[in-house]
Amino acid sequence: MNKARKLIVWCGLLAVSVAVTFAQNSKDLRVYVIDVEGGQSTLFVTPAGQSLLIDTGWPGQNGRDADRIVAAAKKAGISKIDYVLITHYHTDHVGGVPQLAERIPIGTFIDHGPNYETSDKATEEGYNAYQNLLATGKYKHIVPKPGDVLPIQGMKVLVISSNGDLIDHSLPGGGEQNSFCKVSESRPADKTENSHSLGVLVTFGKTRILDLGDLTWDKEMQLMCPVNRLGHVPILIVSHHGWYQSSSPALVDAIHPQVAIMDNGATKGGSKPTLETFQKDAGLETLWQLHYSNEGGADNTNEKYIANLQGPDTGNDIELTLTPAGALTVLNSRTGAKFSYTTK
Ligand SMILES: [Zn+2]
């Protein structure tokens, strides 16, 4: 076979394999909760192949986190990330942006507006590096408000929180008095970037997934008390890596998720009180953790639901596949085991 012929055959095979990949999953939403060692990076890929990445992990480490994101994109069969949403400007969320942009095309960036922690050196550095990238003019840029729906197709992404503001009305299925407000202590207002997190509620078919970034306890109380504005949410990406500064009972117990996924590191997030909140949550079927939490001890979830155990880091992710009818499969990429849920 001459070179040109070989190339045609090779391209043909590639096209077939890509087509098969999409045909197999053509109706499902795929979500990759990527291990960025206690930061956040969650990739959503719609049936039509549109993508939304929530946060980019840490900088440095020879692009470790950006490489892990690109690897997840490859698994999903995409070669471009359409939307990158930055929840806020702490290093573990915005830090990976420049390295990611070097490795994969990005369409649009979404964020909450200017940085609130200008006096914090690391935060300001991460913010400035991101601003420099936006200033190239190569990317679209959206700064949405609570209540806005992002323009991604194939799933509905509703903004719940941004820039310290919260959605001001109850969603369908919400609006009931929240009995968990009285067992959630009041805490002082957080003044950091965390409380300005851009949080979203994703609706796909019959199911909803909540990701509020690092939104803090005080904002959760404003959002959920006295009335639960969100109603029941079957799948929760646990706020703030499972740190005790978030995950009030007023949020967690009121939305009573069936499946919660904590993007904690070995020594970041995964606080004992937060793990206990999830252990006590009656409606929860499984708490998943990206890492075994050293602080958590016996309060860690069952080992089969942990993607990275103690010892050398292997960067395993947690992969969700969701059908429009609400059938959820969660894969632990460490073990290859899949677990099925019927979300309702
Ligand atoms: Zn964080």
Side-chain angles (χ1 to χ4, degrees), residues 5 8 42 44 59 79 88 134 137 220 245-246 251 257 259 274 277 303 307-308 316 343:
R5 245 194 131 88
I8 290 167
T42 310
F44 294 74
S79 53
H88 64 298
L134 289 179
E220 292 175 355
Q245 290 184 331
S246 304
L251 175 73
V259 176
T274 310
T277 298
E303 197 171 288
N308 297 281
N316 301 307
T343 63

Side-chain angles (χ1 to χ4, degrees), residues 285-308:
E285 292 178 38
T286 305
L287 171 67
W288 285 83
Q289 294 172 220
L290 267 184
H291 272 266
Y292 178 89
S293 159
N294 292 352
E295 180 196 329
D299 288 319
N300 276 281
T301 192
N302 187 302
E303 197 171 288
K304 61 186 172 183
Y305 305 125
I306 300 178
N308 297 281

